[in-house]
Amino acid sequence: ATTEASPALSFVYGIDWSRETANYTSLPGGRAATEILGAFGQVLWSPSEALDVSATLRTDRNSGFGSFGTGRLALAYRPAEGTTLRAAVATGFRAPSIDERFGDYPGFFPFVGNPLLQPEESLSYEAGIEQEFAGGATLSATLFRLEVDNLITYKFGIPTSTLENLPGASVRQGVEIAADVPLSDALSLGLAYTYTDSRRPDGSQLVQVPLHNLTLSLDAQLSDRLSGGLSLTHVAGRVDNDANTFAVVDMPAYTVLNAQVAYSLTDTTEAYLKVENLLDKDYQVVNGYAASGRSVSLGLAAR
């Protein structure tokens, strides 16, 4: 629900509930269930045209791990026309899933869950600036840091592999840069780049977190009804576990090109064609698991 106390002050609040069940032959009774009951409240305050502040508190009761409280405080300040300064600090938690605790997968690389896993708890910060220019271009930069205690991670072993909590704080920090530049009335160029330095408590790099992630996009309005776009994503600087040696190995960089075209049949219906991995590159997001080759989707969207 939302209550507007005044044009400058609003309250958002609510409750939610979820139940997850799973069946495993390895469990007594063969079944496990988790229930989560949550409640949250948020205050949105605009003391002036130049300042917006939001504060959020949330509590969750997990049937397997008890109650956890989290919160977030964020602000946006506009010191001049076209300039916005942003900052936020937040806490969070993630309880292990049923599968992470009780999963049982025999096979060539057998895996069993870890019923002793504990929830992850986190603290995050970010600060950034966004600038709009007269020609319609925008440029933004954001510094971020995320600290996670008891990070849940994969642990290779013989005869079975499992999951474990990493004692101490695992840290991801870096910078995000984004830009959008109109090249003409019908054509725009976008850029998004993230540099992430990710470290385990012992100082080694976290697996599957790329050091560099770059996306370039070109969007075109070809006619009143026809639009299209290309996006190029480059990912580099990753490490991952190797199931054969139980060691952490460097992963090769990869670049993927995607394309899409959309045609408005009516004011409410659109036909689209998407081609992902247009150049049919071989690459892996997770070590040992091939990503899809070229894939084509043709569909209709109505609203």
Side-chain angles (χ1 to χ4, degrees), residues 163-228:
L163 297 167
E164 65 177 354
N165 289 107
L166 290 181
S170 298
V171 177
R172 304 182 193 196
Q173 59 185 353
V175 60
E176 294 179 340
I177 299 172
D180 187 44
V181 181
L183 303 179
S184 68
D185 291 340
L187 198 63
S188 65
L189 178 67
L191 175 146
Y193 169 72
T194 303
Y195 171 85
T196 306
D197 179 30
S198 60
R199 300 291 171 182
R200 295 161 58 104
D202 62 6
S204 59
Q205 184 178 353
L206 285 170
V207 298
Q208 299 178 6
V209 181
L211 194 64
H212 306 283
N213 193 323
L214 172 69
T215 297
L216 295 173
S217 61
L218 185 66
D219 295 302
Q221 189 65 43
L222 303 174
S223 71
D224 291 342
R225 293 183 176 272
L226 183 64
S227 62

Side-chain angles (χ1 to χ4, degrees), residues 77-279:
Y77 176 60
R78 293 170 290 280
E81 183 70 25
T83 302
T84 303
L85 304 177
R86 305 181 189 276
V89 58
T91 61
F93 92 100
R94 186 183 78 85
S97 68
I98 294 178
D99 196 60
E100 289 174 328
R101 297 169 66 196
F102 303 114
D104 188 4
Y105 301 97
F108 189 70
F109 295 113
F111 170 86
V112 295
N114 182 355
L116 300 180
L117 288 175
Q118 295 300 307
E120 301 174 341
E121 297 187 55
S122 65
L123 176 63
S124 62
Y125 318 83
E126 64 178 68
I129 182 172
E130 179 178 323
Q131 181 65 50
E132 299 180 8
F133 299 94
T138 61
L139 178 64
S140 66
T142 303
L143 297 172
F144 64 88
R145 180 179 173 89
L146 171 65
E147 303 171 1
V148 181
D149 288 323
N150 288 328
L151 180 70
I152 297 173
T153 188
Y154 203 85
K155 180 182 180 182
F156 283 107
I158 299 176
T160 59
S161 297
T162 186
L163 297 167
E164 65 177 354
N165 289 107
L166 290 181
S170 298
V171 177
R172 304 182 193 196
Q173 59 185 353
V175 60
E176 294 179 340
I177 299 172
D180 187 44
V181 181
L183 303 179
S184 68
D185 291 340
L187 198 63
S188 65
L189 178 67
L191 175 146
Y193 169 72
T194 303
Y195 171 85
T196 306
D197 179 30
S198 60
R199 300 291 171 182
R200 295 161 58 104
D202 62 6
S204 59
Q205 184 178 353
L206 285 170
V207 298
Q208 299 178 6
V209 181
L211 194 64
H212 306 283
N213 193 323
L214 172 69
T215 297
L216 295 173
S217 61
L218 185 66
D219 295 302
Q221 189 65 43
L222 303 174
S223 71
D224 291 342
R225 293 183 176 272
L226 183 64
S227 62
L230 292 170
S231 65
L232 181 75
T233 298
H234 178 73
V235 175
R238 299 175 300 143
V239 298
D240 205 348
N241 296 307
D242 187 288
N244 296 309
T245 64
F246 298 162
V248 174
V249 296
D250 292 327
M251 294 288 291
Y254 65 85
T255 302
V256 179
L257 180 65
N258 301 322
Q260 65 177 21
V261 177
Y263 183 79
S264 297
L265 301 174
T266 69
D267 291 341
T268 60
T269 306
E270 180 182 81
Y272 63 86
L273 172 69
K274 295 182 180 179
V275 183
E276 298 185 345
N277 195 359
L278 183 64
L279 303 180

